[in-house]
Amino acid sequence: LTNNVLVYGGQPAITSLLKYILCKTSFEHKDNIILYQSAYFKKEFPSDNEFITKKNIIDVGFDLESSLSEMRFQMIKSHPFSIGIFVGGKSGVIEEFNMFRNLHPEAIILPIASTGAAAMALYHLFNFTDKRLLTDFAYKTLFKNLLTDII
């Protein structure tokens, strides 16, 4: 995160992981993390959200589906991304993937298939060939290996 920005949708497990990382690094790069969340979940926001200083709460949509779609769109169009990383997830991750690919066609896309669920479906559906995405569970090393020459 030293010279980069991490933008993510506020899945509570990811927020908890980021809180842990921030605490281990004395909040050194906290301003390089941007959280996007749907206001639909406002009553259920985890307390770990407090550790993320930059938040975009998207208060649009009439129901869960439209609210999440708008949040994803706002998040994905927010920056000129060079990399998209997709982890686990449900059908929404596939929607994010399609939006991301359309808005950032030159970006590198990394579905971390070893996290299962939608990320694994993306890996197979779009014929990714890097086996590390499928079999490597040492994520710190995996990201270091995949991203060192890129960022």
Side-chain angles (χ1 to χ4, degrees):
L1 291 176
T2 305
N3 298 313
N4 299 285
V5 176
L6 174 66
V7 178
Y8 77 105
Q11 204 281 341
I14 301 297
T15 301
S16 179
L17 177 61
L18 289 172
K19 173 193 169 191
Y20 174 79
I21 292 167
L22 287 172
C23 289
K24 290 289 186 183
T25 60
S26 303
F27 298 96
E28 189 175 353
H29 302 295
K30 68 180 179 179
D31 292 333
N32 296 39
I33 299 173
I34 303 171
L35 163 65
Y36 276 78
Q37 261 186 325
S38 165
Y40 188 89
F41 296 105
K42 200 166 196 155
K43 293 178 185 174
E44 302 171 33
F45 285 173
S47 60
D48 290 341
N49 278 12
E50 297 172 24
F51 289 86
I52 308 299
T53 56
K54 293 184 178 180
K55 297 184 231 3
N56 289 303
I57 309 303
I58 307 302
D59 194 12
V60 180
F62 302 105
D63 57 17
L64 175 60
E65 189 174 315
S66 64
S67 179
L68 287 173
S69 287
E70 183 61 25
M71 185 273 307
R72 289 181 181 110
F73 179 71
Q74 294 296 327
M75 175 179 66
I76 291 169
K77 75 171 193 157
S78 70
H79 288 78
F81 293 103
S82 57
I83 302 170
I85 299 171
F86 298 87
V87 177
K90 298 178 183 175
S91 61
V93 171
I94 295 172
E95 180 184 354
E96 284 179 17
F97 174 87
N98 288 322
M99 276 187 202
F100 187 86
R101 194 172 54 160
N102 288 333
L103 291 170
H104 306 285
E106 301 299 317
I108 294 166
I109 297 177
L110 300 172
I112 310 302
S114 61
T115 61
M120 183 174 286
L122 289 170
Y123 179 88
H124 292 296
L125 187 62
F126 292 96
N127 300 312
F128 285 87
T129 58
D130 190 332
K131 295 293 185 205
R132 295 175 296 178
L133 297 171
L134 186 60
T135 61
D136 197 336
F137 292 90
Y139 298 117
K140 182 177 179 181
T141 304
L142 175 65
F143 285 121
K144 184 176 181 179
N145 291 337
L146 291 171
L147 302 176
T148 296
D149 294 333
I150 300 169
I151 57 174

